[in-house]
Amino acid sequence: ETAVFQTPNYHVTQVGNEVSFNCKQTLGHDTMYWYKQDSKKLLKIMFSYNNKQLIVNETVPRRFSPQSSDKAHLNLRIKSVEPEDSAVYLCASSSPGQAPDYTFGSGTRLLVI
Amino acid sequence: TQTVSQSDAHVTVFEGDSVELRCNYSYGGSIYLSWYIQHHGRGLQFLLKYYSGNPVVQGVNGFEAEFSKSDSSFHLRKASVHWSDSAVYFCAASLYKPTFGKGTSLVVHP
């Protein structure tokens, strides 16, 4: 099956802890993304990698750091989580070309207590 | 700078009704517009896109959208909705990074 896979589905943690989310795509795409979706469903891009190279780095707190070992994997680490980090984190990848198709994972829901 | 505006936060219809979900954009470059659907607790799924050519594009499950340069719009339509179409719909404008609208929650009553 070709798709974007995210783990874990849910994660509950306390303020100040470190968390890591994994994302893998088996579509052969070169570009991957992390989006944050808040409780109002607003989507904000956080990072984008093309073939392991960071190409988009929006203004996010420094405690967020993406990690890419190869073009099929893009993980997200949050060092010392804050309550406002509670959200759904969506990973996506895109096909090459002028009008790429974006494929999203099912998301990782983070709750910081 | 690219912006996407979805003027309706919520739309409620009955099964079998037609529906139009509105999307307006402002973008200074080449136009690439798309629509996505998000069912509760799931990721976004691609519905359709427009880049060039015929301004009316067909997507999955009977959805279509029409690009209008004069109106800066890319509205999504379906002639006859099903209860399973209940979801949040996102319009996006993008080239190297998609910018999403705020989403429109569609509720279809049986």
Side-chain angles (χ1 to χ4, degrees), chain A:
Chain A
E1 183 189 0
T2 53
V4 178
F5 302 96
Q6 290 187 242
T7 57
N9 293 326
Y10 301 96
H11 191 79
V12 182
T13 191
Q14 292 182 321
V15 171
N17 285 350
E18 177 176 313
V19 298
S20 278
F21 304 147
N22 300 314
C23 180
K24 177 180 99 167
Q25 54 96 3
T26 56
L27 296 153
H29 291 165
D30 288 336
T31 308
M32 296 184 72
Y33 311 80
W34 275 107
Y35 279 83
K36 180 180 180 182
Q37 187 172 39
D38 64 20
S39 58
K40 295 182 181 178
K41 302 287 187 184
L42 291 175
L43 283 156
K44 288 187 67 175
I45 190 167
M46 302 174 71
F47 303 102
S48 173
Y49 268 70
N50 180 270
N51 216 351
K52 295 198 302 178
Q53 298 294 318
L54 180 66
I55 56 172
V56 171
N57 184 1
E58 296 295 304
T59 305
V60 298
R62 286 201 289 180
R63 60 182 179 275
F64 289 85
S65 58
Q67 299 163 323
S68 179
S69 56
D70 56 60
K71 71 175 189 178
H73 294 84
L74 182 63
N75 299 332
L76 181 67
R77 186 178 77 161
I78 313 174
K79 201 172 169 183
S80 190
V81 295
E82 299 284 339
E84 62 264 30
D85 298 337
S86 295
V88 176
Y89 292 86
L90 290 165
C91 177
S93 69
S94 64
S95 57
Q98 296 273 0
D101 292 341
Y102 295 88
T103 302
F104 284 80
S106 56
T108 294
R109 185 176 296 274
L110 174 67
L111 177 61
V112 180
I113 55 175

Side-chain angles (χ1 to χ4, degrees), chain B residues 73-106:
Chain B
S73 68
F74 189 57
H75 301 330
L76 181 71
R77 300 189 293 245
K78 187 167 182 178
S80 177
V81 293
H82 186 263
W83 64 266
S84 60
D85 294 324
S86 297
V88 180
Y89 291 77
F90 291 93
C91 181
S94 61
L95 266 187
Y96 68 95
K97 60 169 185 174
T99 298
F100 289 88
K102 293 182 178 180
T104 297
S105 174
L106 175 65

